[in-house]
Amino acid sequence: METSLLYPVTNDQRTDQKLDGLWQFKFDEMKQGVKDGWETGFHDGVSMPVPASFNDFFTDKESREYTGDFWYSRKFFVPSAAKGKALFLRFDAVTHRATIFVNGKEIRSHEGGFLPFAADISSAIHYGAENTVVVKGNNELSREALPAGDTITLRNGKKMVRPFFDFYNYSGLNRSVHLLTLPQERVLDYTTTFELNGQDATVNYTVTTNGDAPVTVSLADADGQVVATAQGKEGALQVKNAHLWQVRNAYLYTLTIQVGDDAQTPVDTYTDRIGIRTIKISGTNILVNDKPIYLKGFGRHEDSPFAGRAFDLNVEKKDFALMKWIGANSFRTSHYPYDEQVYKIADEEGFLLTDEVPAVGFKMAAAAFLGGLNQSFFKGPWLKKLHERHIDQIRDLIKRDKNHPSVLAWSLFNEPDTIDENAVPYFKQIFDESKDLDPQSRPRTFTLSEDDTIETSKVLDFPDFYMLNRYPGWYHFGGYQISDGEAGLRDEMDKWQKAGVTKPVVFTEFGADTEAGLHKLPSVMWTEEYQVEVLKMFSRVFDDYDFIKGEQVWNLADFQTVEGNMRVNGNKKGIFTRDRQPKEAAFFYHDRWNKLPLDY
Ligand SMILES: CCC[C@@H]1NC[C@@H](O)[C@H](O)[C@H]1C(=O)O
């Protein structure tokens, strides 16, 4: 678990310099890099943009599909003025694992391709000079790492991944790299929880530092007016006439934490924007500020042409423009934590998000669907290591994202095999160990696939609300048989109703692959008309069961997957194309959702 995951800021005590741009890059198929001294830097590679996945910049299949070790290298200057500061390199994400070297010295390694980590480079730096950072990355998949899959070796000796999941194994320095100079004594973390008292609110906080200097905390409103202050590493900020953060009606305060007893020359300052709001589950309702909400939105992917899985602010800005246009209010970070800037935008736009760890592919049948095996996933020699990494990434996810008002819930798995009795002890461990990680005690949940129903799933006691992924009209009862699909879905909902469902149910995946521009009257599968027929069918069912509190269609946009006879250059269930243009279904939802209140 990382010591600090605070997002970088620049002020009189801290600097944040992004090292984005072109780095040197090369593959290391024979894993010879360390033997050949690559950790000291190299100039015989190719130039590679950062942040970006490396895959789509190549024109040969071996490079695009490359699986194994790869290396990045670049120089960076450290001014003499930085002497006396703590120096870190913060990697927002390296997919799926990395070892960091500075000036030839190994600094640290990290496992997990979607969460940040910081390397303390203070001991390896040359001040007033250029320095060299080298990253040894690796993108192999296994059953003991997240996301789950296998790595095989073809008869020609090339390695190849077999993902147990339906998104392309884009790899590399997918997010920004930061050079940080920090005070030796500094803020490492902070927490916030909220109590609403009529028009007023209490912001309870804790601050973690690495020293004994006193701490002062203040809260300023959107106009910069300080509305509350408090002393100490734990305390409460009393806010009169609090302006609450609401769904699609956001309001952000600025929290300022100062370390040191002289406000004029603090030892450290950290600022962040927070939203005052509460989240509760009450019966089959999801409450924000004690008001029931209904989730309208999407499963998404960080996916776009050229940069692959890299965070691209241009794409993100477009996606939010589309989600606002269509009348959405929420999304799931399927199937991995997204770049922190996504959460900042969601905070500002008043979107709710379900924050998901990459515990995807924990189901051999899924692997079978993708050409894998058919055996129990929760019974194998890989489970011990997998569990260690799984809970470690849950801990870092919650540590990183716990202060975002947009975070509604934590999704701890996507479509795991919960029919298997062997799943129960694994789920118990994960839910027990994650219980107290979130100071705001937000709901913890996971998605249930088609096979995992109220009759077959063995782990329905664990989630705080249910997330259902259902595909009648596509993976079964497709085409003219869709009426059987609707009848079957209603049968299942009737069983949930009859069982006396006592928690909210949110549909987190449903839809149909659709080739943009393909039309037929009457419809056939893959046409835009058919996608609308499927989504209208789901809408009819959703409107008939009041325990259903959300509809998040799969997917916002078409996205890249592995090659296969069920994929046409990727997954085409998007409501928008991969270049973010509307299919007919976009206008269906624009009409359906904009008739409703923004938060219901
Ligand atoms: C039947 C499982 C459906 C599956 N669910 C997980 C997503 O990551 C996939 O993209 C989606 C699909 O196949 O479209």
Side-chain angles (χ1 to χ4, degrees), residues 145-438:
L146 295 75
D150 282 341
T151 298
I152 63 173
T153 302
L154 306 177
R155 291 176 58 175
N156 64 10
K158 297 293 183 187
K159 282 187 179 176
M160 174 183 163
V161 289
R162 297 296 294 274
F164 294 175
F165 50 86
D166 187 36
F167 53 93
Y168 190 77
N169 192 44
Y170 279 119
S171 311
L173 293 183
N174 278 333
R175 297 178 191 159
S176 289
V177 180
H178 307 251
L179 172 62
L180 306 179
T181 66
L182 304 175
Q184 293 296 345
E185 181 169 1
R186 59 186 175 274
V187 178
L188 298 177
D189 198 8
Y190 77 92
T191 70
T192 49
T193 59
F194 309 104
E195 294 168 56
L196 307 184
N197 326 301
Q199 294 300 310
D200 304 339
T202 301
V203 179
N204 300 300
Y205 71 85
T206 69
V207 174
T208 304
T209 73
N210 62 353
D212 301 323
V215 167
T216 303
V217 179
S218 61
L219 195 68
D221 64 19
D223 299 320
Q225 296 302 311
V226 173
V227 296
T229 57
Q231 306 297 326
K233 290 186 178 181
E234 284 190 31
L237 295 157
Q238 302 302 337
V239 184
K240 289 287 184 199
N241 301 314
H243 200 136
L244 301 185
W245 187 94
Q246 310 267 17
V247 177
R248 291 296 311 276
N249 180 17
Y251 187 91
L252 295 174
Y253 286 86
T254 299
L255 184 81
T256 299
I257 303 168
Q258 279 199 328
V259 177
D261 46 24
D262 176 356
Q264 302 314 312
T265 52
V267 170
D268 186 24
T269 305
Y270 189 78
T271 55
D272 205 356
R273 300 175 80 196
I274 64 169
I276 299 177
R277 59 99 186 86
T278 59
I279 285 169
K280 287 177 198 143
I281 300 291
S282 172
T284 59
N285 280 308
I286 301 172
L287 306 179
V288 173
N289 303 327
D290 297 323
K291 183 170 177 282
I293 55 112
Y294 184 87
L295 299 175
K296 300 172 288 185
F298 301 92
R300 297 180 61 196
H301 267 298
E302 285 186 318
D303 172 282
S304 62
F306 313 127
R309 181 124 6 269
F311 176 75
D312 182 330
L313 193 56
N314 305 290
V315 174
E316 199 59 35
K317 178 66 184 170
K318 181 68 174 181
D319 283 356
F320 268 92
L322 296 177
M323 291 194 287
K324 287 162 68 178
W325 168 80
I326 207 168
N329 60 22
S330 65
F331 58 88
R332 174 168 57 117
T333 70
S334 31
H335 297 299
Y336 37 78
Y338 290 4
D339 188 287
E340 288 131 303
Q341 297 168 83
V342 175
Y343 302 67
K344 286 175 177 288
I345 298 170
D347 294 345
E348 290 163 13
E349 297 288 1
F351 271 70
L352 289 170
L353 63 89
T354 305
D355 208 358
E356 189 159 277
V357 286
V360 59
F362 290 16
K363 180 185 176 98
M364 282 308 182
F369 152 64
L370 294 164
L373 306 165
N374 209 343
Q375 63 183 80
S376 164
F377 184 86
F378 289 102
K379 192 174 179 186
W382 55 83
L383 276 183
K384 182 175 181 306
K385 193 74 182 161
L386 179 70
H387 161 259
E388 284 169 15
R389 289 167 165 169
H390 190 178
I391 191 61
D392 183 57
Q393 290 183 38
I394 292 171
R395 284 194 190 102
D396 278 0
L397 177 79
I398 295 176
K399 190 181 190 91
R400 185 191 78 163
D401 297 339
K402 63 184 177 298
N403 289 312
H404 287 286
S406 55
V407 175
L408 166 73
W410 311 105
S411 175
L412 308 184
F413 302 82
N414 179 68
E415 294 180 349
D417 180 353
T418 72
I419 298 173
D420 178 359
E421 282 291 350
N422 298 297
V424 179
Y426 187 94
F427 271 71
K428 183 171 185 335
Q429 237 186 339
I430 290 293
F431 272 83
D432 286 351
E433 291 167 342
S434 60
K435 187 163 58 70
D436 301 322
L437 297 177
D438 176 11

Side-chain angles (χ1 to χ4, degrees), residues 52-55 70 72 93-96 139 170-175:
S53 308
F54 62 74
N55 310 78
F70 49 86
Y72 285 80
V94 183
T95 308
H96 289 290
N139 65 348
Y170 279 119
S171 311
L173 293 183
N174 278 333
R175 297 178 191 159

Side-chain angles (χ1 to χ4, degrees), residues 166 335 369 414-415 471 475 509 554 559 567 571 573:
D166 187 36
H335 297 299
F369 152 64
N414 179 68
E415 294 180 349
Y471 285 90
Y475 288 114
E509 284 187 31
W554 192 255
F559 58 92
R567 290 291 174 260
N571 185 307
K573 293 189 182 72

